[in-house]
Amino acid sequence: MSNDYRPMWESLGLDLESHDQLLKAIPQAFGGVYMQQKNRPAEMEYFDFVVSEIHGLRIQELQEHKSRGGKVVGAFCIFVPEEIVRAAGGICVGLCSGAEIGTAQAEKVLPRNICPLIKSFMGFKLGHVCPYFESCDMVVGETTCDGKKKAFEILNDYIPVHMMETPQMKREKDKVLWRSEVRDFVTEMQQFTGNQVTYDSLQRAIIDVNGKRKVLARLAELRKNIPAPISGKDSLLIEQIAMYDDVDRFTEQTTKLCDELEKRTRAGLGVQEPGALRIIVSGTPMAVPNWKVPHIIESSGAVIVAEELCTGLRYFENTVDEDGSDLEQQVDALAKRYLDIDCACFTPNDARTDKLVKLAEEYQADGIIHCSLAFCDPYLVEANRVEKVLKEHNIPLLRIETDYGQEDSGQLKTRVEAFFEMLAAKKA
Amino acid sequence: MITVGIDVGSITTKAVLLTDTTWQSLLLPTGCSPRESGKSVFEQILNRAGLSPADVNYVVGTGYGRISLPFIDKAITEITCHARGAHHLVNGTDMVVDIGGQDSKVILIDEQGSVMNFAMNDKCAAGTGRFLQVMAAVLGADVSELADLARGAESVQISSMCTVFAESEVVSLLAQGVPKERIIAGIHRSVASRVASMAERLGRGERLTFTGGVARNDGVREFLSRELGQEITVAPEPQLAGALGAALLARDRCKQTLVTLDEIH
Ligand code: SF4
Ligand code: SF4
């Protein structure tokens, strides 16, 4: 990092010692996982730059926003409608929680056997290591999975948390509930920021965030080409950055990247040989810097062509209807778009398994790797449904359960490679 | 044509040297350096056969130490190798159960010995040779004696799957005065039931073949066939299935290359 951000970090109350450790770990991990890749698109430069400034430039922007009286709102789930935060003049950041840091602190308030993502966000907060978290004026929680739902009660001791009740099913009465939750969120944001959410401000926010989703969808579309013009690791990085970067700048940079990928595609250029195995990953979110499984997959010769993840398709696959003629209709449109997310916290969740079958066909995938964080009941249990449906459609599946530690890398590599050997033999 | 398969496992390193008509094998303890043991097993098996590396057409490495072998032509996972090895050793095999030092796996294979599907334990040691080793140490026995010690005994229930908890369970069973042989039988059953549930999940085969070091323990084998309700054949030389599979795959690859070369000429 070029500038000296230490005074800023200090003023944020970061634990500088632990923060130094974290900041040292990221470029190392990033260098090993990202910079060794062959045939990277030139326009990845921007995203590499964002990573190199991960706790610098963007944090500075957030601070400037705050000094102008703006609010920063953190979220841990893609159910939180960022458009509403924007319409109220706030900035919404997705908090990553992809590293094992502050575990000892987190275990003071949480059980040992809990999803690493939950443990990580608690550790980040209690350990004061994440400048994004420390920049947040509030956090928006949801009632998706039990672990998170209850952890937000604890988190509320350290930072104000607004809870949204996400339903467990998608019946008409659930939709009614969710619409009222979204409506309440508008009121909450107005009170919290002191700014009115108007038809115009919400319309602007909807169009902006739709723009971001559309460019991500364009990127996804380009990956259907054979050979794939960009690696899965790079795509994942872009999807991760989408959650906290400035929306307009992100959209602009990703558009440039897509333009480059289009040229590549026309020239028949790809990141791997045309014969490389094409894999879809599906499961729990992969937050920065959790690139473990994608790295194992792509360093074993395959290319990931889509992520059916929250840091992936689930984040951008539908847009919000832009035709609402008053605030009421806009809010309904938002509620609809968000409730279309196929998260395993819902029952039934056939839409997800059906989608996987469709994706496998559209992306000409050779197999699917279902990757769940340890102790995540919704996804680990739903893996059974996924397995059943994919089997019916003859789509090969590998199931993985893992956490943020590296000690199972060798084991995972064996399983992934064996899966690829099997797929290659089938293909031959 | 001469090919070699090297299987660097967590406990033992195995080599198989395959000629057109016969095969021979060699085993060494892996010790702390998989790279070294892989190298020395290769050298020793060649020496014994009076061959030099130049006489060998193709070498395939497998096992967890496969990536640390600089002299191999190709690394192939133990799953693919065990499938091929078991297919060769026991005619008509359609499902392989392999229990090694730190991994256990169940593999469904087709008539050519190719993998159709597989399941493997995650990082937990339950259902692996490691589990047996830890328990043997608590009981003051050697792993190789376990089967004999437990012969004919009725098993006691070991309910913890986790090695650490199972260890303290065994300690307290001993303190209660439960006979050793019953505890050992319980340990065998624990390993078997863990692996059996993997097999159930994968969808059962007709002809099951048991490979890996733990296949030599007939206590585990008995419980396994009881749990699955079907016969299970222990492969001859079960420990060598991986290395043999590697040598056979080396031969397949070599033939393929020859064919493509022929096509070019
Ligand atoms: S997996 Fe479900 S609960 Fe978790 S971030 Fe995604 S949508 Fe939210
Ligand atoms: S990964 Fe699973 S357990 Fe963890 S927060 Fe998401 S839904 Fe909850």
Side-chain angles (χ1 to χ4, degrees), chain A residues 115-118 144-145 147-148 284-285 343 345 373 375-379:
Chain A
C115 154
L117 201 147
I118 299 175
T144 45
C145 71
K148 245 203 298 184
T284 49
C343 164
C345 292
L373 286 168
F375 307 113
C376 169
D377 287 341
Y379 282 87

Side-chain angles (χ1 to χ4, degrees), chain A residues 118-285:
Chain A
I118 299 175
K119 209 184 258 189
S120 170
F121 80 58
M122 202 60 86
F124 273 50
K125 184 66 209 168
L126 269 51
H128 304 285
V129 284
C130 174
Y132 289 92
F133 217 150
E134 300 309 308
S135 300
C136 286
D137 299 296
M138 82 178 307
V139 160
V140 184
E142 10 63 44
T143 59
T144 45
C145 71
D146 289 350
K148 245 203 298 184
K149 180 168 71 195
K150 300 305 286 181
F152 284 127
E153 293 173 18
I154 305 175
L155 192 65
N156 195 36
D157 288 349
Y158 306 93
I159 182 170
V161 177
H162 169 80
M163 288 297 286
M164 292 185 83
E165 183 175 353
T166 43
Q168 309 278 295
M169 295 177 78
K170 293 182 180 176
R171 299 160 304 184
E172 201 40 53
K173 56 183 168 188
D174 301 304
K175 291 179 187 159
V176 172
L177 165 75
W178 178 240
R179 274 200 292 269
S180 76
E181 284 296 301
V182 176
R183 216 152 268 144
D184 288 353
F185 187 52
V186 175
T187 315
E188 170 72 25
M189 277 298 112
Q190 294 189 143
Q191 275 167 7
F192 189 70
T193 60
N195 297 328
Q196 204 57 28
V197 173
T198 63
Y199 174 82
D200 288 337
S201 72
L202 191 52
Q203 190 65 11
R204 183 77 257 148
I206 289 175
I207 292 171
D208 289 348
V209 179
N210 271 350
K212 165 162 83 167
R213 293 203 180 97
K214 283 180 196 155
V215 74
L216 284 166
R218 182 178 165 209
L219 171 62
E221 197 59 34
L222 283 160
R223 294 165 73 193
K224 289 183 180 168
N225 287 298
I226 298 180
I230 183 169
S231 71
K233 282 194 290 189
D234 279 335
S235 309
L236 174 63
L237 182 69
I238 295 167
E239 289 152 353
Q240 289 170 333
I241 288 174
M243 308 226 164
Y244 65 87
D245 200 9
D246 176 80
V247 176
D248 297 332
R249 182 176 57 214
F250 174 87
T251 305
E252 191 190 314
Q253 293 293 340
T254 311
T255 304
K256 278 196 204 158
L257 173 86
C258 288
D259 293 343
E260 181 189 358
L261 297 186
E262 228 150 57
K263 276 190 216 128
R264 278 190 160 214
T265 304
R266 274 198 297 272
L269 290 173
V271 278
Q272 302 263 26
E273 299 300 310
L277 291 170
R278 298 167 65 84
I279 299 297
I280 292 174
V281 291
S282 172
T284 49

Side-chain angles (χ1 to χ4, degrees), chain B residues 98-132:
Chain B
D98 171 76
I99 310 184
Q102 61 180 6
D103 293 325
S104 47
K105 35 201 167 294
V106 179
I107 314 164
L108 276 175
I109 64 176
D110 67 10
E111 303 84 53
Q112 274 80 48
S114 300
V115 178
M116 280 164 50
N117 206 352
F118 67 92
M120 186 171 164
N121 67 306
D122 39 47
K123 60 183 168 186
C124 146
T128 71
R130 165 78 61 222
F131 186 83
L132 291 177

Side-chain angles (χ1 to χ4, degrees), chain A residues 76-79 117 142 144-145 148 283-285 309-311 314 341-346 376 379:
Chain A
F76 288 101
C77 174
I78 58 167
F79 266 95
L117 201 147
E142 10 63 44
T144 45
C145 71
K148 245 203 298 184
T284 49
L309 304 174
C310 291
T311 46
R314 285 203 283 272
I341 297 171
D342 303 320
C343 164
C345 292
F346 288 86
C376 169
Y379 282 87

Side-chain angles (χ1 to χ4, degrees), chain A residues 387 391 397-399 401 403 407-408 411 413-415 417-419 421-422 426, chain B residues 66 75-80 102-103 115-118 120-123 201-202:
Chain A
E387 189 164 34
K391 203 175 208 165
L397 170 75
L398 176 71
R399 287 169 59 167
E401 177 184 345
D403 56 21
E407 65 279 0
D408 61 347
Q411 240 255 3
K413 198 160 170 52
T414 299
R415 286 162 67 180
E417 280 179 8
F419 184 59
E421 285 163 6
M422 180 183 105
K426 276 188 183 162
Chain B
R66 66 186 179 283
I76 300 182
T77 64
E78 47 273 40
I79 292 159
T80 306
Q102 61 180 6
D103 293 325
V115 178
M116 280 164 50
N117 206 352
F118 67 92
M120 186 171 164
N121 67 306
D122 39 47
K123 60 183 168 186
R201 227 169 77 181
L202 208 55

Side-chain angles (χ1 to χ4, degrees), chain A residues 46-60:
Chain A
Y46 169 72
F47 302 97
D48 291 346
F49 169 73
V50 172
V51 174
S52 75
E53 282 284 339
I54 195 158
H55 286 179
L57 217 55
R58 183 63 181 145
I59 298 297
Q60 205 164 45

